[in-house]
Amino acid sequence: MLQGHPWIMFICLAVFFGMNSTHKDVPHLLASAACGVFWGQVDLWLMTFGVFGSALFGFMPILVGTAITMVLHIFFFAKTPVRDVPIIFACVALTFATKVGLLDGPGILGLFLSVLVGLVLCGICAVGQQIGMKKFPLSE
């Protein structure tokens, strides 16, 4: 069933401000977040049906999936819209946290829509912060 997860907005805010992002970063963060949901599905597949099975209680599949993700996004996609590794891994973790499985299409959509709304909120907060800092500068 299509279900949103409003708490995901706080994860998006933490990653967004932790990366020192601005409202201009929202489009490529969203593209990267979509990759994160995809990589979460790959990791689940590696853990469930993949060659590695449940070897070492799931650590080996995660190690392999993480290594592949990092090599691709850091070395090959660094200058593309899917370059933001922190939001990618946040979305991988959110995939696990929301228990969105491989065949749960509506659940995946709910997860992605929650991230979308969270990143829109990040953009709004960033613009508000920018306006507020101009109107009420911090005194030193």
Side-chain angles (χ1 to χ4, degrees), residues 32-33 35-44 62 65-66 69 85-98 100 111:
S32 296
C35 288
V37 173
F38 168 78
W39 285 116
Q41 297 305 302
V42 170
D43 285 344
L44 285 173
I62 296 299
T66 300
T69 303
V85 174
I87 197 75
I88 290 170
F89 286 125
C91 287
V92 169
L94 290 169
T95 300
F96 293 140
T98 56
V100 173
L111 169 61

Side-chain angles (χ1 to χ4, degrees), residues 19 24-33 80-84 87:
M19 291 177 59
K24 294 177 184 176
D25 298 318
V26 171
H28 62 84
L29 284 168
L30 189 57
S32 296
T80 71
V82 294
R83 64 185 174 264
D84 301 300
I87 197 75

Side-chain angles (χ1 to χ4, degrees), residues 4-133:
H5 306 280
W7 56 269
I8 286 176
M9 292 186 293
F10 294 106
I11 306 299
C12 293
L13 285 163
V15 173
F16 182 86
F17 287 110
M19 291 177 59
N20 202 26
S21 300
T22 69
H23 67 282
K24 294 177 184 176
D25 298 318
V26 171
H28 62 84
L29 284 168
L30 189 57
S32 296
C35 288
V37 173
F38 168 78
W39 285 116
Q41 297 305 302
V42 170
D43 285 344
L44 285 173
W45 181 82
L46 288 172
M47 290 172 63
T48 308
F49 304 110
V51 180
F52 304 104
S54 61
L56 295 175
F57 306 103
F59 292 110
M60 187 60 78
I62 296 299
L63 177 68
V64 170
T66 300
I68 292 168
T69 303
M70 289 185 70
V71 167
L72 287 174
H73 291 275
I74 292 173
F75 294 109
F76 296 105
F77 302 146
K79 297 189 186 295
T80 71
V82 294
R83 64 185 174 264
D84 301 300
V85 174
I87 197 75
I88 290 170
F89 286 125
C91 287
V92 169
L94 290 169
T95 300
F96 293 140
T98 56
K99 299 178 181 160
V100 173
L102 294 169
L103 302 175
D104 188 19
I108 293 170
L109 182 58
L111 169 61
F112 186 72
L113 289 175
S114 298
V115 171
L116 169 68
V117 172
L119 288 171
V120 168
L121 175 63
C122 290
I124 292 168
C125 288
V127 169
Q129 180 184 25
Q130 191 176 30
I131 292 169
M133 294 301 284

